[in-house]
Amino acid sequence: MGDIAVVGIDCAFPGAAGVQAYWDLLMRGGDGIGPVPAQRWEAADFPAVSGSGGFIDDADVFDSDFFSVTPREAAAMDPHHRLLLPCAWRALEDSGRAPGDLAGTETGVFIGVMGGEWGRLTMSDLARVTPLLGAGSSAGMAANRISYHFNLTGPSLAVDTACSSSLVAVHLAAGSLLAGECDTALAGGVNIVLSPSLGMVYGQLGLAASDGRCKPFSADADGIGRSDGVGLVVLRRLDDALADGQRIYAVLRGSAVNQDGRSNGVIAPNRWSQQRVLNSAYRRAGVTPDRVAFVEAHGTGTVLGDAIECAALGAVHGIARETPCAIGSVKGNLGHTEGAAGIAGLIKTVLALHHRIVPASLFAERENPQLRLGERGMRLLKSPMRLPRGESLAGVSSFGMGGTNAHAVLGSAPRIPVAAGARTGGARDAVGVFTVSGDTPEALRRNLAAQADAVAGRPRGGAAALCWSSNRIKTGLPYRFAAPVRDTDELVAELRRAAAPRDAAGSGGRPWGRPVVAFLFTGQGSEYPGMTAGLHRDSPAYRRHLAEADEALAAHLGTSVRELILSGDERVHRPEFAQPALFAVGYALARTLTSLGITPAAVLGHSLGEYAAAVTAGALALDEAARLVVRRGALMGELPAGGAMIAAAAGPEKLAGLLAGEPGAVVAALNGPADTVVSGPLQALERIGRELAGRGVRVKRLPVSHAFHSPLTAPAAAGLRTEPVRCEPPTVPVASTRHGRMLRHDLMDAGYWADQIEEPVLMDAALGALVADVAPTHLIEIGPRATLLPIAARGGRAPAAEFLHPAPGAEATGKELAATVAALYRGGLDPLWEELYEPGHRVVEALSPYVFSSAQRHWDRQAFVHTAQPHAQPHPAGPVAVPPAPVTPVAAHSGTGAGAHADDPVLLAVVQAVTEVGGYPPERVVREARFYEDLGFDSVMIMQLKNQVEARLPRVGEVSVQQMLPALRTVGSLAAFLDDMLLARSV
């Protein structure tokens, strides 16, 4: 049998809500046994059943909104199903995946569940049977609901082999993985003690513990105590888990299942069958029994069951070995979780192998001497047992009441070498983006607070690996939070700030689409020594792409612009170096962003910036652009000195008279309605500047070496006009600052680049064309300091766009890049997060599991648990016993049901119909509510909705489902459709 990795776990057991709580319970030798909650039944009414057992707190809680389940359907669902859905979500998160990423994949679901008590309790009164109850009470739906709600298309099946169900489910899941039916599998089981009925059966068989406690292998053992439990593991083929870098808790080496056959009774255990299943499992695992360090036994605490199991274990393990085989049973801590018993034992064993210590077995102090454990080569664990270095092996047994036996062999996870650079001192300074998402604003805040508490409890240090893990796991829900951080102290502060109710903005919002991004490439004048050095230090992607540009430029420049930039060389101000350096920075920034999944809808380049923009748009290849930029810089460097440029806060019309008096001065750039750049001889510009200042116009001299975009650059333009240029039509729209319009199929040829040198930069017109064409939600400046975004802000061309800059100045580091990615994630982008991190920081870290809402409860035990008192009658209102509301045709304005819609009788009728079918309070059914995503309607409910609508709006007549389907986007769209039908039939 091939090896199967356990990569994710979630569980809830009595006294242990979650994996860590379960481990803590085991290690401290605690138990979860307590009195029967009044919600289940009145213990005094059933004296034949123990008044104690193991019960999960808040087993009635279910976040139906999260899973898009209507309140009416949630009330009809078997509580087993309600426990499994959040458990599945958290287990998949624990495996290092956002559960939504598995949608549409052939992921398998294998669930062990014992009996069908909910169906017997709720379907026995035929007058109360509904379609929702029919679907909600089926045991098979325990697996199918997970597959449906998570959109998993692999094998999906429920297993009932009584108490061995969940371990058999794990066995089947492993087989499915090895057969190639699925690549990921969820496996486990669930049990809820809904009524005292099975406890009465145990009592009549003499198998029930008087105090409701299992005491496995103890001299005090007197029977079974029943308990709740739910547990799931995420399984993958070991090679796949290793290849994907998943955390591996333990490895399933092999498993086996068999049956007692015709033995001494259908519900009596069979020693010989138990021996055979152990031997078969070890054979399939390729191990010998002497290598097994401990066995998590079935260990129910019944006298006969313990004796038979120990005899079978001794026959297999009572061989020559260095130390006796340790045994124990988690039922001493939890009680017998029946359909979940196997997964309870398996999770305990997996955690023991993971932590390399085996918890003691409760009630072991008074070991039953009749079991002769020592003689049989075994010892009962009376204290925790540390596991030695190297591989450790363990076995898990689970035996069903009807004779189906299962045994699994597990080994410790393989040692994986730590990646170079991981968890080193430099890791504390690495920047990342921590992400959290929730299905509502309240859920987001709730989970922000949970993450803050969890991170605060960790050792202080770098946060990059935590950030990377959060990007993989916590990004799948509509309301989003993201913050760039370097260490855990900063992360906790950001999480607490965003979780505060007063911080509405910081706690994140819901994007309704993907961001529309435009890149604005900065031109000459933005350069400075050491530009982007901080980003180069922090960002592996930027380093890689700057090296690409450097290599392309070096072939023509003869030196390294990367070294020039990072060394702080003052030559960066000379045109022959400034222009290649700025091109390299622009190219590397743009490629860094696109490698992160940030794809521009359009690009704009200001003067020199058009070269990097053209490469990003696909109009020029990198090598061709590098050649042209080096040639352009050299030509510019050959121009005589003496030119200058000034920026004036005035429009060209206010400058016309002054320019007419200075023939050498011209408009070089029209950046905005009152934002003009003038270029020409220095003395002429000084005179113009003094005159404008005297008129109260703000004037600023620009830090440039020449009078660019003026007649003084004509020799450079002529030199470039003769260059051969290999170019293509852009594949991304280009807002041309040469023409002041969008380029789609135009070629950016030699004539374009020559004109671009001496003609004015039409920035304002180009930006206006870009905004009109693609309506960007975000403008990102691509350059080493903020130049174009302030221009855009002054011009007011994109008032609704958010401005971002990944390298806004000399103090910038990788944090500004991370902040850019965080803002776009909040805006609806799903980045390619890996590019943000060094390989050594891509390490899976455990994160606090998702915290679901506890506001909704779905359980009324009085509807189905009849007391023993003859005068007691069931309560008329059961879990789905809300009688259908009387259907009143809507012919006039009505104030009933949803007063907010009283002036719209059609909308009111739709709201009332949705309220009736879904069981929602009227205030939840707003016009914008979506039938599938928000209200959780399915095909059965759509049919019921159709009938309700026809009854409430008789003038509409019969409406087919096919007619309704296109209108079933929102409550409002359905009302508008019915309005149109009424109008058409009244003509």
Side-chain angles (χ1 to χ4, degrees):
M1 181 173 173
D3 288 343
I4 300 295
V6 179
V7 297
I9 309 172
D10 190 66
C11 62
F13 294 110
V19 176
Q20 187 58 50
Y22 184 37
W23 182 245
D24 292 343
L25 178 83
L26 295 172
M27 285 305 297
R28 72 171 188 268
D31 71 74
I33 308 304
V36 176
Q39 183 190 57
R40 307 297 178 97
W41 64 85
E42 293 296 337
D45 291 339
F46 299 92
V49 178
S50 172
S52 297
F55 301 96
I56 294 176
D57 294 334
D58 298 324
D60 58 336
V61 167
F62 177 57
D63 192 348
S64 59
D65 288 342
F66 182 92
F67 293 101
S68 297
V69 174
T70 67
R72 194 174 297 279
E73 183 180 12
M77 282 172 64
D78 188 328
H80 293 82
H81 305 176
R82 298 199 297 254
L83 281 182
L84 282 166
L85 285 171
C87 185
W89 183 275
R90 291 187 295 253
L92 289 171
E93 279 196 336
D94 191 59
S95 74
R97 300 284 298 276
D101 289 350
L102 291 172
T105 66
E106 293 183 342
T107 296
V109 182
F110 302 81
I111 301 299
V113 59
M114 177 173 159
E117 194 169 25
W118 180 257
R120 293 195 300 273
L121 292 169
T122 58
M123 298 281 283
S124 57
D125 185 349
L126 299 184
R128 296 171 55 178
V129 170
T130 67
L132 293 178
L133 260 184
S137 61
S138 165
M141 292 289 282
N144 300 159
R145 277 196 186 276
I146 296 173
S147 299
Y148 169 76
H149 286 287
F150 289 67
N151 190 22
L152 309 177
T153 62
S156 181
L157 54 99
V159 180
D160 186 354
T161 59
C163 311
S164 59
S165 298
S166 54
L167 196 59
V168 172
V170 170
H171 169 80
L172 294 174
S176 182
L177 284 164
L178 295 173
E181 292 179 326
C182 55
D183 294 326
T184 301
L186 272 163
V190 62
N191 191 67
I192 302 181
V193 182
L194 291 172
S195 79
S197 58
L198 190 54
M200 296 173 70
V201 172
Y202 289 157
Q204 291 165 10
L205 290 170
L207 300 177
S210 59
D211 58 359
R213 296 175 183 272
C214 296
K215 308 170 193 66
F217 313 119
S218 169
D220 299 321
D222 62 347
I224 292 170
R226 300 185 65 208
S227 293
D228 300 340
V230 60
L232 291 172
V233 292
V234 181
L235 304 177
R236 299 201 70 201
R237 290 180 290 270
L238 178 61
D239 289 345
D240 293 342
L242 290 170
D244 289 348
Q246 290 180 287
R247 175 186 54 192
I248 299 171
Y249 284 101
V251 176
L252 178 62
R253 297 284 301 273
S255 60
V257 172
N258 75 357
Q259 230 285 332
D260 289 350
R262 188 170 181 85
S263 57
N264 59 338
V266 70
I267 62 172
N270 185 304
R271 168 186 171 176
W272 314 111
S273 292
Q274 291 180 17
Q275 286 179 210
R276 285 194 295 271
V277 81
L278 266 72
N279 283 320
S280 178
Y282 295 141
R283 184 174 62 255
R284 299 190 73 198
V287 303
T288 54
D290 61 297
R291 295 181 56 199
V292 176
F294 69 99
V295 171
E296 171 63 20
H298 188 58
T300 57
T302 61
V303 175
L304 180 62
D306 284 1
I308 289 177
E309 182 172 12
C310 287
L313 285 169
V316 175
H317 290 278
I319 55 180
R321 51 188 296 157
E322 292 183 7
T323 58
C325 179
I327 67 167
S329 171
V330 75
K331 292 178 181 65
N333 305 90
L334 304 180
H336 195 346
T337 53
E338 298 170 339
I343 197 66
L346 183 122
I347 291 175
K348 171 189 170 181
T349 305
V350 165
L351 293 175
L353 290 167
H354 178 65
H355 293 291
R356 307 204 65 79
I357 186 169
V358 187
S361 189
L362 217 57
F363 301 105
E365 294 80 5
R366 282 177 44 80
E367 179 181 321
N368 185 351
Q370 296 182 12
L371 301 178
R372 297 185 290 122
L373 296 179
E375 297 175 30
R376 289 168 165 163
M378 296 178 293
R379 68 184 181 98
L380 187 59
L381 278 178
K382 297 178 173 62
S383 61
M385 179 181 76
R386 292 207 169 271
L387 297 174
R389 294 173 63 88
E391 185 185 35
S392 294
L393 296 175
V396 182
S397 290
S398 194
F399 307 138
M401 181 182 290
T404 298
N405 309 304
H407 190 77
V409 183
L410 293 110
S412 47
R415 292 182 61 85
I416 302 171
V418 178
R423 306 173 194 268
T424 63
R428 184 178 177 86
D429 297 327
V431 67
V433 175
F434 195 87
T435 50
V436 183
S437 62
D439 65 312
T440 66
E442 295 77 15
L444 180 57
R445 284 198 176 92
R446 185 169 62 246
N447 280 276
L448 286 166
Q451 293 301 326
D453 292 343
V455 176
R458 298 172 61 95
R460 299 168 68 183
L466 282 171
C467 290
W468 182 78
S469 299
S470 75
N471 304 155
R472 285 172 57 93
I473 300 168
K474 299 290 186 179
T475 52
L477 298 171
Y479 290 87
R480 299 178 168 199
F481 162 86
V485 295
R486 290 189 185 275
D487 58 47
T488 54
D489 290 344
E490 186 181 12
L491 175 54
V492 171
E494 288 288 341
L495 289 167
R496 295 210 191 285
R497 179 190 61 78
R502 64 181 179 278
D503 187 16
S507 62
R510 177 175 188 167
W512 293 97
R514 289 176 58 84
V516 179
V517 175
F519 288 178
L520 309 183
F521 290 81
T522 312
Q524 193 167 347
S526 60
E527 72 278 357
Y528 57 89
M531 56 184 175
T532 71
L535 177 61
H536 187 271
R537 181 188 66 245
D538 285 350
S539 171
Y542 182 72
R543 290 196 296 272
R544 184 169 68 252
H545 297 306
L546 186 63
E548 291 170 5
D550 185 46
E551 182 179 1
L553 289 162
H556 309 286
L557 188 63
T559 190
S560 168
V561 294
R562 180 180 59 184
E563 295 304 319
L564 180 88
I565 291 168
L566 299 176
S567 67
D569 195 323
E570 290 291 336
R571 290 182 299 165
V572 78
H573 292 299
R574 290 164 47 181
E576 62 268 34
F577 295 114
Q579 296 193 13
L582 284 171
F583 169 77
V585 167
Y587 168 83
L589 280 172
R591 285 288 292 120
T592 298
L593 293 175
T594 57
S595 71
L596 283 160
I598 304 168
T599 304
V603 297
L604 177 153
H606 193 285
S607 186
L608 174 71
E610 284 203 292
Y611 284 88
V615 175
T616 302
L620 292 177
L622 171 60
D623 288 342
E624 184 71 354
R627 181 182 68 81
L628 291 173
V629 167
V630 171
R631 178 64 176 148
R632 186 185 197 266
L635 290 168
M636 289 291 196
E638 293 168 0
L639 295 174
M645 302 178 79
I646 60 171
E653 69 284 352
K654 292 185 178 181
L655 301 174
L658 293 172
L659 293 176
E662 300 284 356
V666 297
V667 171
L670 294 170
N671 289 331
D675 203 340
T676 306
V677 176
V678 179
S679 182
L682 176 59
Q683 295 80 3
L685 294 190
E686 287 176 342
R687 290 191 291 270
I688 292 172
R690 286 193 295 270
E691 180 64 27
L692 288 173
R695 298 178 186 179
V697 176
R698 182 168 42 84
V699 179
K700 177 184 177 182
R701 183 173 173 180
L702 301 181
V704 295
S705 58
H706 292 76
F708 300 121
H709 302 286
S710 77
L712 295 177
T713 59
L720 202 60
R721 200 177 300 276
T722 60
E723 288 289 327
V725 177
R726 300 187 303 276
C727 56
E728 299 287 342
T731 56
V732 174
V734 176
S736 167
T737 55
R738 163 67 189 89
H739 297 304
R741 61 175 174 81
M742 301 301 293
L743 302 183
R744 296 194 183 278
H745 305 293
D746 311 65
L747 291 176
M748 302 177 82
D749 54 15
Y752 183 93
W753 297 114
D755 291 345
Q756 194 241 22
I757 288 179
E758 57 182 342
E759 296 296 328
V761 178
L762 304 179
M763 170 71 185
D764 187 49
L767 182 59
L770 183 152
V771 172
D773 192 66
V774 302
T777 60
H778 295 77
L779 296 180
I780 303 181
E781 180 151 1
I782 308 295
R785 76 165 103 218
T787 302
L788 301 186
L789 291 181
I791 288 173
R794 293 195 297 269
R797 289 290 188 185
E802 182 177 354
F803 293 175
L804 302 171
H805 198 165
E811 302 302 317
T813 64
K815 196 165 186 181
E816 289 77 9
L817 172 64
T820 297
V821 179
L824 291 169
Y825 167 73
R826 292 192 300 268
L829 180 75
D830 293 317
L832 303 175
W833 294 105
E834 283 78 6
E835 287 294 307
L836 197 61
Y837 302 93
E838 297 276 8
H841 298 147
R842 300 173 199 167
V843 179
V844 177
E845 295 277 1
L847 298 174
S848 180
Y850 191 84
V851 181
F852 293 91
S853 171
S854 59
Q856 302 170 58
R857 295 176 181 268
H858 305 275
W859 197 321
D860 183 355
R861 64 97 176 168
Q862 294 188 27
F864 50 80
V865 179
H866 296 242
T867 71
Q869 309 301 322
H871 62 274
Q873 296 297 320
H875 194 280
V880 290
V882 180
V887 177
T888 304
V890 178
H893 291 193
S894 170
T896 62
H901 310 304
D903 59 344
D904 187 339
V906 174
L907 180 59
L908 175 61
V910 172
V911 169
Q912 290 176 337
V914 171
T915 299
E916 171 57 28
V917 172
Y920 287 105
E923 62 270 15
R924 281 285 309 279
V925 188
V926 296
R927 185 188 296 269
E928 297 79 13
R930 299 169 298 173
F931 279 102
Y932 303 112
E933 296 92 336
D934 300 328
L935 299 175
F937 269 50
D938 59 19
S939 57
V940 174
M941 295 177 188
I942 295 301
M943 282 298 302
Q944 294 174 323
L945 179 66
K946 167 189 174 304
N947 297 335
Q948 286 281 337
V949 166
E950 289 173 350
R952 293 174 188 279
L953 295 170
R955 288 172 47 215
V956 170
E958 185 174 351
V959 184
S960 70
V961 172
Q962 287 72 23
Q963 288 176 297
M964 282 177 59
L965 282 176
L968 290 173
R969 298 185 303 279
T970 65
V971 169
S973 65
L974 177 58
F977 163 74
L978 295 170
D979 255 331
D980 290 343
M981 288 198 69
L982 278 171
L983 181 63
R985 293 182 180 180
S986 64
V987 174

